[in-house]
């Protein structure tokens, strides 16, 4: 299959808002791919490279290539080129990556192919082929039940690999996929409720756990080998030796645990979220960082132990495994109650200790990997949403020279974003300086007062409510929105969607 074929399908997918049409276009392309190309085609149509991280920055994509008029690249050759680029390390690696990139772009046959390649590298291929669309397309292309594709994705963690298995081995191949230690699964997610009373009205009796203000981690141990993954399934094992030590000390041969890593201060309160995020993202001077910013872990679930998958087991059974294996100081504070008064006191204690709130959990729910199901409900002391910054306006007065007023967007159901309003509240001078520098790097164009951005930065916004508004495309707007913090641990695809806003 040629790169030009996939680029053309991507363009057609982006041009239609019909989910049915998107699914049909992608399914047709996947069916047409030869066996070695299926995973590559599925990855590219998902807007991602199989290599995930290539070490290529946005600046490296400028001024690359002109129409060569030659034959289009084959998918398998493009993938091989990106593998060579990702493998470059050490002195001179940036120049070697650039040289490979120049060859790739300058020999691309059309401008459409170069735009497609640039969007893949930059992670900004916005065509509406989100996970749900891709799951539907894989099921249609392989003519297999949708439920089997969803479960395979949950266990495999990679839609691209699931596409290749479904198209090559069919239903038998999908059903042969099982839980595998050191292959992370998609994390289970929580819905939101406005209060403890509201949450207990939906789940009661329930387990309540502190919502730790840290980084989600999935920790795998197989014999003497431990690996740690983030919520985006990136391997951060070499950056978190404290977590490796915790796993190595457990009385089990093989185990997978879900939890939160957090940097605590001397009084055991969470340090600013940015410090935890910076600590888990840095590969440099890990031992020095371990001394200055040590990490603690709070475990709240078990997914696997000694050859047995726990995903379909009830929460109480999984919790019993956690209680048996993990020392209390490394377990998330937890109670079981149906009393709103007791639950309220527990919620207040979580807030008093500096954490985000609580998660209210069903005692019987399975672990619904990759889903925001009915089993978990998060309660915070205020309404918050994770939104994407679409643009920013230049400030006035004391904020002259800084990008200040943020245009906020929620995900829509077609791969784009719906603007919900603006805010300039809650920003410190330090934040204003940081965002001005970052946003100018993400600029796509501007007018006299506004800089428009590639939609990549996720910001956590607090607000007092949602109101109807004819001013914005989604017909709703946030009341008294204010910035809490930026979320470098989240991608734009992890931001809240317009349906979550309307539900509030």
């Amino acid at each position: 299959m040629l790169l030009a074929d996939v680029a053309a399908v991507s363009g057609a997918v982006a041009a239609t808002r019909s989910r049915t049409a998107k699914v049909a276009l992608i399914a047709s392309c996947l069916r047409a791919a030869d066996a070695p190309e299926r995973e590559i085609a599925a990855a590219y149509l998902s807007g991602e490279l199989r290599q995930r991280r290539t070490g290529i920055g946005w600046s490296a994509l400028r001024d690359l290539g002109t129409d060569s008029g030659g034959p289009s690249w084959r998918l398998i050759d493009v993938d091989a080129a990106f593998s060579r680029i990702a493998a470059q390390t050490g002195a001179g690696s940036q120049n070697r990556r650039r040289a490979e990139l120049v060859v790739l772009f300058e020999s691309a046959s059309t401008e459409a192919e170069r735009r497609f390649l640039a969007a893949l590298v930059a992670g900004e291929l916005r065509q509406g082929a989100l996970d749900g669309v891709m799951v539907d397309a894989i099921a249609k292309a392989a003519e297999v039940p949708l439920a089997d594709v969803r479960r395979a994705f949950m266990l495999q963690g990679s839609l691209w690999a699931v596409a290749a298995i479904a198209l090559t081995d069919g239903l038998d191949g999908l059903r042969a996929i099982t839980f595998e230690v050191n292959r992370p699964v998609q994390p289970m997610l929580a819905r939101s409720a406005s209060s403890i009373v509201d949450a207990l009205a939906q789940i009661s009796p329930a387990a309540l756990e502190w919502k730790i203000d840290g980084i989600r981690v999935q920790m795998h141990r197989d014999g003497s080998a431990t690996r740690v993954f983030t919520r985006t399934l990136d391997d951060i094992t070499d950056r978190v030796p404290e977590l490796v030590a915790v796993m190595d000390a457990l009385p089990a041969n093989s185990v997978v645990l879900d939890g939160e890593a957090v940097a605590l201060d001397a009084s055991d309160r969470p340090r600013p979220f940015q410090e935890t995020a910076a600590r888990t993202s840095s590969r440099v001077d890990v031992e020095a960082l371990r001394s200055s910013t040590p990490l603690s872990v709070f475990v709240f679930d078990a997914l696997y132990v000694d050859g047995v998958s726990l995903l379909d087991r009830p929460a109480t059974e999984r919790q019993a495994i956690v209680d048996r294996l993990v020392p209390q100081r490394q377990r998330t504070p937890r109670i079981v109650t149906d009393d709103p008064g007791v639950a309220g006191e527990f919620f207040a204690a979580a807030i008093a200790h500096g954490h985000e709130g609580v998660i209210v959990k069903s005692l019987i729910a399975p672990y619904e990997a990759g889903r925001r199901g009915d089993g978990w409900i998060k309660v915070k002391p205020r309404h918050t949403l994770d939104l994407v910054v679409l643009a920013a306006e230049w400030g006035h007065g004391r904020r002259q020279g800084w990008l200040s007023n943020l245009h906020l967007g929620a995900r829509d159901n077609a791969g784009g974003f719906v603007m919900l309003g603006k805010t300039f509240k809650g920003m410190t001078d330090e934040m204003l300086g940081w965002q001005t520098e970052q946003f100018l790097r993400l600029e796509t164009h501007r007018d006299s007062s506004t800089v428009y951005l590639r939609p990549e930065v996720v910001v956590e916004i607090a607000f007092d409510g949602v109101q109807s508004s004819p001013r914005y495309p989604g017909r709703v707007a946030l009341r008294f929105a204010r910035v809490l913090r930026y979320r470098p641990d989240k991608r734009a695809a992890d931001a809240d969607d317009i349906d979550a806003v309307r539900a509030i």
Side-chain angles (χ1 to χ4, degrees):
M1 176 170 280
L2 299 179
L3 176 64
D5 297 330
V6 177
V9 170
S10 176
V13 169
T16 178
R17 296 185 63 84
S18 166
R19 182 187 178 95
T20 301
K22 291 178 188 290
V23 168
L25 285 163
I26 295 169
S28 178
C29 184
L30 293 178
R31 278 195 298 266
D34 292 334
E37 304 166 331
R38 289 165 180 164
E39 185 170 331
I40 304 168
Y44 288 5
L45 289 170
S46 296
E48 301 183 46
L49 295 171
R50 290 201 310 160
Q51 295 76 14
R52 294 179 67 87
R53 301 188 185 279
T54 59
I56 300 170
W58 178 256
S59 60
L61 300 175
R62 295 173 182 159
D63 305 320
L64 280 174
T66 56
D67 284 0
S68 69
S72 173
W73 280 93
R74 294 187 306 154
L75 278 191
I76 201 162
D77 294 329
V78 175
D79 183 68
F82 280 122
S83 291
R84 291 192 298 272
I85 289 169
Q88 300 299 326
T89 60
S93 59
Q94 287 289 355
N95 289 335
R96 292 193 295 274
R97 290 190 190 108
R98 170 77 181 186
E100 286 276 6
L101 207 60
V102 166
V103 171
L104 187 61
F105 273 72
E106 290 191 349
S107 56
S109 62
T110 66
E111 180 61 27
E113 288 177 65
R114 276 187 295 282
R115 286 198 304 269
F116 182 72
L117 285 172
L120 281 175
V121 173
E124 60 168 45
L125 190 66
R126 312 293 180 189
Q127 59 189 19
L130 299 176
D131 287 353
V133 172
M134 288 299 299
V135 166
D136 287 356
I138 292 167
K140 182 177 180 68
E143 299 181 343
V144 295
L146 187 60
D148 288 279
V149 178
R150 286 175 177 156
R151 181 164 181 82
F153 178 35
M154 176 185 79
L155 294 169
Q156 177 71 33
S158 165
L159 266 179
W160 333 321
V162 168
I165 292 168
L167 288 160
T168 303
D169 301 318
L171 189 56
D172 289 342
L174 292 177
R175 291 181 175 174
I177 297 173
T178 58
F179 194 105
E180 186 175 305
V181 181
N182 288 333
R183 185 178 66 196
V185 299
Q186 299 288 331
M188 184 171 176
L189 305 173
R191 296 183 293 110
S192 295
S194 60
S195 69
I196 290 290
V197 172
D198 182 19
L200 287 179
Q202 301 175 61
I203 303 175
S204 185
L208 276 73
E209 297 171 357
W210 286 5
K211 191 176 189 307
I212 304 297
D213 191 14
I215 295 289
R216 185 82 173 266
V217 288
Q218 191 178 122
M219 301 177 291
H220 292 235
R221 176 181 161 194
D222 187 13
S224 60
T226 290
R227 295 175 70 185
V228 181
F229 302 90
T230 65
R231 62 176 288 151
T232 54
L233 311 188
D234 291 313
D235 190 332
I236 58 168
T237 306
D238 58 346
R239 307 172 216 172
V240 290
E242 303 98 319
L243 275 58
V244 173
V246 167
M247 292 296 287
D248 288 348
L250 298 180
N253 182 59
S254 59
V255 61
V256 178
L257 301 176
D258 198 355
E260 291 272 336
V262 62
L264 301 175
D265 64 19
S267 61
D268 286 338
R269 294 174 60 84
R271 293 165 71 162
F273 175 79
Q274 286 75 10
E275 294 187 26
T276 296
R279 170 59 211 279
T280 55
S281 64
S282 177
R283 293 185 173 88
V284 180
D285 296 328
V286 171
E287 286 304 316
L289 288 171
R290 183 179 183 181
S291 176
S292 63
T293 314
L295 290 175
S296 298
V297 67
F298 290 90
V299 175
F300 53 74
D301 218 325
L303 313 187
Y304 182 96
V305 64
D306 289 335
V308 179
S309 170
L310 305 175
L311 296 180
D312 294 325
R313 304 293 177 88
T316 49
E317 187 173 334
R318 302 198 310 274
Q319 184 61 41
I321 299 294
V322 173
D323 293 344
R324 175 169 65 85
L325 295 179
V326 182
Q328 185 172 0
R329 68 181 181 279
Q330 292 157 352
R331 301 199 301 260
T332 304
R334 181 178 190 268
I335 64 168
V336 175
T337 186
D338 60 359
D339 185 329
V342 173
E345 292 176 1
F346 186 77
F347 176 82
I351 301 304
H353 281 79
H355 295 289
E356 293 185 285
V358 299
I359 304 287
V360 179
K361 296 185 175 181
S362 165
L363 300 177
I364 60 174
Y367 189 93
E368 298 179 271
R371 294 192 60 204
R372 204 178 297 275
D374 297 327
W376 292 4
I377 301 175
K378 59 186 175 183
V379 183
K380 298 183 181 182
R382 58 205 163 195
H383 290 301
T384 66
L385 289 168
D386 292 325
L387 302 175
V388 175
V389 181
L390 305 178
E393 298 173 6
W394 292 107
H396 303 281
R398 195 179 67 80
R399 295 189 176 188
Q400 186 77 33
W402 280 334
L403 286 171
S404 173
N405 202 15
L406 308 183
H407 295 202
L408 304 170
R411 290 188 295 108
D412 66 16
N413 295 318
F417 299 92
V418 180
M419 187 173 174
L420 300 175
K422 307 176 185 180
T423 188
F424 55 84
K425 297 178 180 178
M427 302 175 195
T428 63
D429 288 355
E430 180 181 3
M431 188 179 292
L432 287 164
W434 177 88
Q435 69 189 32
T436 300
E437 179 181 357
Q438 294 297 315
F439 291 173
L440 290 176
R441 295 175 182 172
L442 298 173
E443 178 181 353
T444 59
H445 62 286
R446 67 172 69 187
D447 57 28
S448 59
S449 61
T450 305
V451 174
Y452 297 88
L453 314 177
R454 301 200 304 273
E456 297 180 10
V457 176
V458 178
V459 62
E460 186 174 1
I461 297 294
F463 57 99
D464 290 353
V466 177
Q467 62 189 18
S468 297
S469 173
R471 182 176 181 182
Y472 298 112
R475 312 298 291 180
V476 293
L478 305 182
R479 296 181 65 247
F480 304 111
R482 53 207 180 272
V483 173
L484 290 181
R485 58 181 174 171
Y486 284 96
R487 295 302 304 257
D489 60 316
K490 293 192 175 184
R491 305 166 300 172
D494 296 323
D496 287 296
D497 63 22
I498 188 63
D499 290 338
V501 179
R502 288 172 177 151
I504 296 171

